[in-house]
């Protein structure tokens, strides 16, 4: 119970921190900003503490410094004027929304049951994510000396992986005064909810259709692998949440926020540097071509991305690479067939990717006719091409062949792809004033 | 019959370790049969189910080529579906299994029973799911049929535009998928809560490490090379002992090992041993 309370308090702290940061530039925030505020708070907090750690500050001191800095920020923002919290409008849920909430409650209950009743179980969580986090919290197995056997955690874990979830979980243990398996992975539930909420609100923002937005949120939440990752302790679902939040911010033309959230994908896992940051950058460039976009939107976006510089400098100075096994390039001719059989027709994503592909092919002519559509096609096309290249032309092919990571990579892309497919479908099907709209 | 069983046992020993459970105790199911469209119905003890053991079906083609089908055992009498396996075609000289049962043409009840075989919680579940089969077809391919059927209904009955009808079909197929997924969740929770079923592989590692962490205390530890045979357990120990000082093997006060090694054993659970070593 104490762990659950610490977890909830930590999540609320991050949402408040993110809200303060958003209020700095924007006083008219909406419900869309709630999941973005949570993710922004988690990113800012862990990057701040992580930077202090790399400067040699002990974790507990870094956490106290963070609390002081957050209190100062809160005081300043309150003096400048805090954005109003979006009050519920009091509209009753329609039947399809009630059903969605019911199915969502089942997913949350299953994830909470896993958190409460089972030990940490899955391999990468034991090593790279919760394992390193526990080593950081315990302090005896964490060193910044590259010659130490416990350099950035012991040698069971990948040292070049970034630290968002690692730091967040270690902070949980500091606040709790001890480690447990709930705090070691409960953040997955936050990322799951943030991704579903972002899809729901982003689709509603451009469609103004409650049923269409609810359908999109349902499709994401019911994708079979999602709920497992809500309690697995991996960082793939964190990437998904940050990527879709960055995309939604781009659609709202909130350039700095979009850049920061795009940087969050790379602070969650190295995949973000390869799969999401370049296509989102290209998408921001194309979105700027819209007539109503500000002239310097792309530069603002880059400024948001630049918040990742401390981690990139650490990577550079410690020669931490991006991936351990991609030193050979070679085409694997059976890879496209494996993509088809395991991703498009396999049970892990079921028919999600067939549906997304069909929707995009149907909507492509419409999307290519407008700047926003072209930007979205560039984002999804770029991310898909990056994934396809990684799995067909590098040593990562083996993780496609044995289905070791391919579905997790597709999970990272699922929420952004769903928003883009929904945007295309909406423009093609209903935008021209169909009576079905609304 | 005894002669046949002896021959099968000898043949399976010669087939070099393909069987994973109850090796050697084969029960004949059929001989000189056509495999196409057939399934097996097998009796599995509850312990096999709890321990994530497999039922194994072995058969020889008329040319003498041997094949194996394995699936997770379900307590009681249940249908198992080798029809997706390409080698389950044509004739078989004999079919046997590592438990009693029957070789039969599936009834509707058998098909439903196979469809309701639950998703298993395994170390690989976080990477990929096993999925379900119904009428010898992948559930996900069947969902495409649901999609098309629902879309046709929307198009002809509700007079929707074709694209809207397809969208509605997709939504209904996704609802069907979610209902089946929720059934899996229910089974997993009830299996672990009511039947006290352990999570595969790590149960003994967790029980071992809970006590071993207390013993290690402020001392240092390392993993013995023998643990490379149990990589998931080794990773679990790395996590469980992360707050205790980790050092190279030569300097460790305590060694976590699978087999007897240098040092005095101070704690053992299952196959895992904690060895106290003399001061390095």
């Amino acid at each position: 119970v104490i762990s659950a309370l610490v977890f909830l308090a930590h999540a609320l702290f991050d949402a408040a921190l993110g809200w303060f940061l958003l209020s700095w530039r924007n006083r008219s925030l909406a419900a869309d900003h709630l999941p973005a505020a949570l993710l922004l708070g988690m990113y800012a907090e862990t990057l701040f503490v992580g930077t202090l750690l790399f400067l040699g500050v002990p974790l507990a001191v870094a956490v106290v410094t963070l609390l002081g800095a957050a209190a100062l920020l809160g005081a300043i923002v309150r003096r400048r004027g805090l954005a109003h919290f979006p009050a519920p409008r009091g509209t009753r849920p329609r039947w399809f929304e009630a059903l969605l909430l019911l199915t969502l409650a089942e997913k949350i209950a299953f994830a909470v049951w896993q958190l409460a009743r089972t030990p940490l179980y899955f391999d990468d969580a034991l090593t790279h994510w919760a394992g390193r986090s526990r080593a950081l919290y315990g302090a005896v197995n964490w060193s910044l000396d590259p010659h130490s056997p416990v350099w950035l955690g012991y040698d069971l874990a990948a040292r070049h992986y970034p630290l968002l979830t690692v730091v967040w979980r270690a902070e949980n243990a500091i606040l709790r005064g001890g480690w447990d398996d709930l705090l070691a992975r409960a953040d997955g539930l936050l990322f799951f909810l943030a991704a579903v909420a972002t899809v729901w609100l982003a689709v509603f923002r451009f469609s103004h259709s409650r049923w269409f937005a609810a359908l999109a949120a349902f499709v994401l939440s019911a994708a079979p692998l999602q709920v497992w990752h809500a309690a697995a302790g991996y960082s793939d679902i964190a990437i998904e949440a940050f990527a879709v939040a960055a995309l939604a911010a781009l659609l709202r033309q909130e350039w700095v926020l979009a850049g920061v959230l795009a940087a969050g994908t790379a602070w969650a896992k190295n995949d973000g540097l390869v799969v999401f940051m370049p296509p989102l950058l290209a998408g921001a460039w194309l979105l700027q071509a819209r007539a109503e976009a500000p002239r310097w939107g792309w530069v603002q976006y880059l400024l948001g991305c630049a918040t990742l510089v401390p981690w990139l400098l650490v990577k550079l100075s410690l020669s931490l690479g991006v991936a351990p096994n991609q030193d050979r390039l070679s085409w694997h001719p059976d890879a496209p067939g494996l993509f088809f059989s395991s991703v498009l027709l396999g049970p892990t994503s079921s028919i999600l990717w067939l549906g997304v592909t069909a929707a995009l092919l149907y909507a492509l002519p419409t999307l290519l006719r407008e700047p926003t559509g072209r930007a979205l096609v560039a984002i999804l096309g770029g991310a898909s091409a990056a994934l396809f290249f990684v799995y067909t032309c590098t040593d990562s092919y083996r993780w496609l062949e044995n289905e070791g990571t391919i579905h997790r990579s597709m999970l990272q892309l699922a929420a952004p792809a769903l928003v883009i497919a929904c945007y295309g479908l909406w423009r093609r099907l209903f935008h021209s004033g169909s009576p079905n709209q609304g | 019959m005894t002669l046949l069983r002896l021959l099968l046992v000898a043949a399976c020993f010669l087939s070099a370790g393909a069987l994973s459970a109850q090796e050697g105790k084969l029960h004949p199911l059929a001989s000189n049969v056509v495999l196409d469209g057939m399934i097996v119905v097998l009796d599995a003890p509850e312990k096999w189910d709890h321990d994530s053991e497999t039922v194994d079906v072995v058969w020889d083609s008329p040319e003498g080529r041997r094949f194996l089908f394995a699936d997770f055992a379900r307590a009681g009498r249940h249908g198992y579906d080798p029809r997706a396996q390409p080698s389950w075609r044509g004739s078989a000289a004999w079919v046997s299994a590592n438990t009693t049962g029957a070789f039969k043409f599936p009834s509707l009840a058998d098909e439903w029973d196979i469809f309701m075989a639950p998703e298993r919680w395994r170390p690989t579940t976080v990477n990929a799911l096993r999925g379900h089969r119904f009428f010898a077809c992948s559930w996900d391919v069947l969902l495409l049929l649901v999609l098309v059927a629902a879309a046709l209904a929307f198009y002809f009955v509700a007079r929707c535009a074709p694209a809207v009808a397809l969208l509605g079909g997709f939504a209904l197929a996704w609802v069907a998928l979610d209902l089946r997924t929720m059934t899996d969740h229910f089974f997993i929770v009830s299996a672990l809560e009511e039947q006290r079923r352990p999570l595969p592989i790590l149960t003994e590692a967790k029980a071992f490490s809970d006590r071993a962490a207390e013993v290690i205390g402020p001392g240092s530890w390392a993993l013995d090379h023998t643990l490379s045979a149990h990589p998931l357990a080794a990773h679990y120990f790395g996590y469980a002992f992360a707050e205790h000082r980790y050092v190279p093997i030569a300097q460790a006060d305590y060694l976590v090992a699978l087999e007897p090694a240098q040092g005095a054993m101070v704690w053992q659970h299952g196959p895992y041993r904690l060895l106290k070593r003399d001061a390095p």
Side-chain angles (χ1 to χ4, degrees):
Chain A
V1 173
I2 295 172
S3 295
L5 290 174
V6 166
F7 165 71
L8 288 174
H10 195 178
L12 283 173
F13 171 82
D14 280 332
L17 178 63
W19 198 261
F20 290 161
L21 290 169
L22 288 174
S23 299
W24 193 274
R25 287 173 55 89
N26 189 350
R27 306 271 168 78
S28 56
L29 299 176
D32 306 41
H33 293 93
L34 281 172
L38 172 68
L39 296 172
L40 177 63
M42 292 177 86
Y43 173 79
E45 173 199 303
T46 52
L47 193 65
F48 180 83
V49 170
T51 304
L52 289 179
L53 286 174
F54 282 113
L55 292 173
V57 177
L59 178 64
V61 178
V63 170
V64 171
T65 311
L66 165 79
L67 293 173
L72 186 65
L73 174 72
I76 294 172
V77 170
R78 281 189 69 83
R79 180 165 292 187
R80 285 164 51 101
L82 189 65
H84 289 296
F85 195 80
R89 290 184 201 161
T91 51
R92 291 179 60 186
R94 296 189 186 164
W95 65 268
F96 48 83
E97 290 165 333
L99 280 180
L100 167 60
L101 290 172
L102 208 60
T103 63
L104 201 53
E106 187 274 335
K107 310 288 179 295
I108 294 168
F110 183 58
V112 169
W113 171 81
Q114 288 183 65
L115 294 173
R117 299 287 291 169
T118 65
L120 191 68
Y121 183 72
F122 295 115
D123 200 15
D124 282 11
L126 294 170
T127 52
H128 310 316
W129 307 114
R132 275 210 307 166
S133 181
R134 193 169 188 177
L136 171 62
Y137 165 68
V140 291
N141 292 324
W142 187 271
S143 167
L144 296 178
D145 175 10
H147 303 294
S148 165
V150 292
W151 175 46
L152 302 181
Y154 39 53
D155 53 12
L156 295 175
R159 292 168 163 122
H160 62 283
Y161 278 13
L163 299 179
L164 187 145
T165 53
V166 173
V167 169
W168 205 81
R169 294 166 190 181
E171 290 170 348
N172 273 336
I174 290 278
L175 298 170
R176 165 76 173 81
W179 185 274
D180 68 33
D181 285 356
L182 186 147
L183 298 178
R185 57 195 161 141
D187 47 87
L189 188 55
L190 293 179
F191 295 125
F192 172 72
L193 292 173
V196 172
T198 303
V199 167
W200 198 340
L201 295 163
V203 173
F204 181 76
R205 180 175 274 263
F206 62 67
S207 68
H208 302 291
S209 164
R210 289 172 66 166
W211 73 263
F212 197 57
L215 176 61
F218 169 65
V219 170
L220 182 70
S221 68
L225 200 58
Q226 295 280 345
V227 69
W228 286 100
H229 277 260
Y234 283 40
S235 288
D236 301 279
I237 199 164
I239 291 198
E240 181 188 35
F242 274 98
V244 74
L247 178 69
L250 272 182
L251 286 172
R252 296 193 302 264
Q253 296 193 58
E254 294 172 1
W255 305 96
V256 178
L257 176 62
V260 171
L261 293 171
T265 63
W267 179 233
K269 200 176 174 190
N270 285 332
D271 305 33
L273 277 175
V274 178
V275 177
F276 289 104
M277 288 193 75
L280 283 167
L281 187 63
W285 174 261
L286 290 169
L287 275 172
Q288 199 188 229
R290 294 193 303 196
E292 70 272 26
R295 283 183 64 188
W296 297 103
W298 196 64
V299 176
Q300 293 178 45
Y301 176 84
L302 281 175
L303 280 174
C305 290
T307 54
L308 193 65
V309 163
W311 168 238
L312 297 179
L313 287 176
V314 167
K315 273 179 101 71
L316 193 68
S317 64
L318 297 177
S319 301
L320 301 174
V322 174
N325 61 343
Q326 290 172 13
D327 49 355
R328 288 194 306 271
L329 292 180
S330 61
W331 167 249
H332 297 275
D334 55 337
L338 289 173
F339 257 103
F340 184 79
S341 60
S342 63
V343 175
L344 290 184
L345 287 180
T348 309
S349 299
S350 194
I351 56 172
L352 174 69
W353 291 104
L354 274 180
V356 167
T357 306
L360 284 168
L361 289 176
Y362 172 71
L364 197 60
T366 309
L367 286 172
L368 292 178
R369 275 200 295 271
E370 54 167 279
T372 302
R374 285 195 290 274
L376 295 180
V377 169
I379 290 169
L380 187 54
S384 304
L387 277 179
F388 192 76
F389 172 77
V390 165
Y391 281 105
T392 57
C393 297
T394 73
D395 291 348
S396 292
Y397 161 77
R398 64 187 163 124
W399 304 117
L400 167 65
E401 192 179 26
N402 66 11
E403 300 189 51
T405 62
I406 178 63
H407 298 295
R408 289 196 266 132
S409 297
M410 299 310 291
L411 176 140
Q412 296 169 13
L413 190 57
L418 203 55
V419 169
I420 293 169
C422 285
Y423 181 87
L425 267 185
W426 189 258
R427 299 292 290 181
R428 178 81 195 261
L429 282 174
F430 304 117
H431 187 61
S432 55
S434 157
N436 289 327
Q437 190 167 356
Chain B
M1 186 60 81
T2 308
L3 180 62
L4 173 64
R5 186 169 296 179
L6 284 172
L7 283 172
L8 291 175
V9 169
C12 284
F13 275 120
L14 290 172
S15 69
L19 297 178
S20 61
Q22 301 296 304
E23 200 165 81
K25 295 178 184 173
L26 282 175
H27 301 264
L29 301 179
S31 58
N32 296 319
V33 289
V34 174
L35 300 172
D36 301 80
M38 307 297 277
I39 63 160
V40 291
V41 176
L42 300 173
D43 306 300
E46 201 166 321
K47 186 176 185 319
W48 289 16
D49 195 337
H50 282 206
D51 297 347
S52 293
E53 295 265 11
T54 58
V55 290
D56 301 321
V57 180
V58 186
W59 66 97
D60 261 7
S61 68
E63 298 79 34
R65 290 186 64 198
R66 176 141 314 148
F67 300 100
L68 170 74
F69 165 81
D71 198 356
F72 284 106
R74 300 164 66 193
R77 193 175 181 86
H78 288 287
Y80 298 88
D81 188 2
R83 289 173 293 183
Q85 198 154 313
S87 51
W88 190 260
R89 301 279 184 278
S91 304
W94 52 264
V95 180
S96 63
N98 61 343
T99 183
T100 54
F103 173 86
K104 63 177 292 197
F105 189 80
S107 64
L108 187 59
D110 292 326
E111 295 286 7
W112 182 255
D113 182 45
I114 289 167
F115 178 57
M116 294 311 290
E119 188 71 46
R120 292 281 174 159
W121 184 319
R122 301 183 300 158
T124 54
T125 302
V126 74
N127 295 328
L129 302 175
R130 298 180 72 224
H132 306 286
R133 300 188 69 77
F134 198 34
F135 287 105
C137 193
S138 154
W139 172 229
D140 307 286
V141 172
L142 286 173
L143 286 173
L144 283 177
L145 297 181
V146 173
L147 187 160
V148 171
L152 288 173
F154 280 123
Y155 180 71
F156 287 110
V157 179
R159 304 285 178 198
C160 291
V164 178
L166 279 169
L167 181 62
F170 181 86
L172 281 186
W174 209 250
V175 168
L177 168 78
D178 196 34
L179 288 173
R180 183 66 192 86
T181 305
M182 285 196 277
T183 312
D184 276 333
H185 297 166
F186 173 78
F187 171 81
I188 288 167
V189 173
S190 63
L192 265 75
E193 291 290 343
E194 291 171 18
Q195 301 168 23
R196 300 282 171 212
R197 182 178 301 173
L199 288 177
I201 299 181
L202 284 187
T203 306
E204 287 176 332
K206 177 166 176 19
F208 169 83
S209 62
D210 286 348
R211 170 79 184 120
E214 295 171 12
V215 176
I216 293 172
S220 60
W221 63 277
L223 298 178
D224 187 61
H225 299 304
T226 53
L227 269 171
S228 58
H230 287 200
L232 186 62
H235 292 165
Y236 188 82
F237 296 142
Y239 164 75
F241 305 144
E243 294 172 63
H244 304 267
R245 197 156 50 90
Y246 173 78
V247 293
I249 288 181
Q251 303 162 21
D253 299 327
Y254 293 92
L255 206 57
V256 183
L258 263 181
E259 295 166 9
Q262 193 182 2
M265 190 170 71
V266 290
W267 166 239
Q268 179 180 16
H269 184 85
Y272 308 113
R273 299 153 192 264
L274 185 66
L275 305 166
K276 174 92 171 78
R277 309 206 314 169
D278 297 332

